Amino acid sequence: MIVKVCGMTRPEDVEFCDALGIDLLGFIFHVPSPRNVASGWVATQKPRHGLKTGVFVRQGVDEIDRIAREAGLDLLQLHGGHTPEQCRALGPERVIKALWPKRYATIELLLADMELFAPVCRAILLDSGTSGGGHGTSLDPAELRQLKCPHPWYLAGGLGPHNLETMKTTGAVGFDLNSGVESAPGIKDHEKVRRSVNILRGKP
């Protein structure tokens, strides 16, 4: 079970999540987002456990690679409709590729794209909405349970202690938490984060 907390903007949230054993710490590099951060600040964050994961929307391969070096990123999450060729160029071992199930007319068409990207990424992220991220809404768990994709896939979109008991039955091996564990955009609610982790990891 992989747990990611995205939209980090404060060092105290990075420290808390890292101490809690969060696997992936997400930093958003997308200027329109209220959670947008600078690569220089991300470089100063030195988690001991969590992998620093950059979230990109509009940038191309060269810019993503430059920011990754500047910020000291471990993984790259691509939310901008990037192609398999771009994923391969950035390194399949460090790419998490976002797809949006609501774009697809059938579950079979979604699965076909998941299989297309499987060789060029370490995991696929299924997000709500039809582009970008941070929508704060959730996908239909019943539809997700129909997916039979052998490649690891993560789930994002409005996840928190209010719905994780249900959403963890979907077959996802990772869960990307953001707005559902916040008190305001970019401000993590530590109790919500803790409760979410306990639900996902089966702790009382």
Side-chain angles (χ1 to χ4, degrees), residues 1 30 38-39 44 58 65 84-85 92 101 126 128 133 149 151 197 202:
M1 179 73 69
H30 182 53
S39 58
T44 67
R58 293 179 179 159
D65 209 32
E85 291 71 27
L126 299 185
S128 60
C149 181
H151 195 64
V197 170

Side-chain angles (χ1 to χ4, degrees), residues 63-166:
E63 187 176 0
I64 292 172
D65 209 32
R66 174 183 60 79
I67 293 171
R69 291 195 305 272
E70 291 175 355
L73 300 177
D74 300 297
L75 303 179
L76 312 171
Q77 186 169 307
L78 306 183
H79 269 265
H82 296 84
T83 65
E85 291 71 27
Q86 288 175 306
C87 294
R88 187 177 290 110
L90 288 166
E93 72 285 348
R94 62 175 182 165
V95 167
I96 299 169
K97 177 67 176 78
L99 295 175
W100 299 268
K102 290 183 179 178
R103 286 186 177 184
Y104 299 87
T106 68
I107 203 80
E108 289 77 18
L109 291 172
L110 169 61
L111 184 58
D113 260 7
M114 293 176 77
E115 292 173 344
L116 174 68
F117 279 97
V120 295
C121 66
R122 67 185 288 135
I124 293 163
L125 178 78
L126 299 185
D127 201 358
S128 60
T130 56
S131 65
H135 303 287
T137 58
S138 300
L139 293 167
D140 183 345
E143 292 182 4
L144 294 172
R145 290 188 199 104
Q146 299 176 43
L147 278 174
K148 304 298 179 186
C149 181
H151 195 64
W153 61 274
Y154 303 165
L155 183 60
L159 302 177
H162 62 290
N163 63 1
L164 280 170
E165 284 287 3
T166 298

